[in-house]
């Protein structure tokens, strides 16, 4: 019952899926942010139509922090994960990312998806129900992170 309530909240707070949002306050409705970001761009994508069970959601975000805040965040998020095996992202899921973030992906011609080519880190630090799975990436350039969270 508790999970149904969280899914309802998520559905109600989503004005429209797949649209790019740059409002930090809106991001905080979906992600636990203990350090205030400087800026963000994110989108929430719906998976499934809800007819044969509940739909799932993914959140793809690029979040910019002040340099000192990013260093503090790196100390908090230090567990490496093994998400390099992730099946990949479609181009339209990543089309809003800055060049600094986009270069962490390699295009795979066989699957026609973009795959991660750098180390990923566990993202529990950012989890907020129902987005309780995922990973984050700290690109070498800039003060931004890539965050990918999902419901199941």
């Amino acid at each position: 019952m508790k999970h149904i309530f969280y899914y309802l909240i998520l559905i109600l707070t989503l004005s429209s899926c797949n649209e790019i949002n740059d409002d930090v306050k809106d991001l905080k409705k979906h992600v636990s942010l203990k350090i205030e970001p400087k800026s963000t761009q994110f989108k929430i994508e719906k998976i499934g139509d809800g007819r044969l069970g509940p739909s799932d959601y993914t959140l793809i975000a690029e979040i910019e922090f002040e340099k000192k805040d990013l260093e503090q965040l790196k100390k908090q998020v230090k567990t490496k994960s093994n998400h390099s095996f992730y099946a990949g992202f479609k181009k339209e899921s990543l089309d809003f990312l800055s060049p600094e973030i986009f270069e962490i992906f390699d295009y795979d011609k066989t699957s026609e998806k973009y795959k991660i080519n750098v180390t990923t880190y566990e993202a529990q630090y950012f989890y907020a129900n129902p987005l309780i799975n995922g990973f984050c990436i700290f690109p070498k350039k800039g003060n931004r992170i890539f965050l990918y969270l999902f419901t199941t």
Side-chain angles (χ1 to χ4, degrees), residues 64-145:
E64 182 180 19
F65 294 93
E66 294 291 341
K67 187 172 183 169
K68 64 177 177 52
D69 292 336
L70 183 64
E71 293 306 316
Q72 181 182 351
L73 182 61
K74 286 179 180 179
K75 292 176 185 174
Q76 298 292 325
V77 181
K78 54 188 169 197
T79 305
K80 291 182 181 179
S81 65
N82 188 22
H83 288 284
S84 57
F85 66 87
Y86 183 71
F89 296 91
K90 294 179 180 177
K91 171 74 169 133
E92 57 270 15
S93 295
L94 306 175
D95 59 3
F96 67 97
L97 298 175
S98 68
E100 296 85 8
I101 297 290
F102 196 75
E103 69 183 30
I104 65 175
F105 297 94
D106 286 329
Y107 184 69
D108 180 58
K109 291 180 183 177
T110 305
S111 67
E112 297 183 343
K113 292 187 178 181
Y114 287 84
K115 298 194 176 192
I116 300 161
N117 67 19
V118 296
T119 304
T120 60
Y121 294 85
E122 294 295 335
Q124 290 97 336
Y125 185 83
F126 301 100
Y127 291 173
N129 230 336
L131 297 168
I132 55 169
N133 298 289
F135 57 88
C136 65
I137 297 173
F138 299 99
K140 292 181 181 177
K141 296 179 184 176
N143 296 327
R144 302 169 188 263
I145 68 165

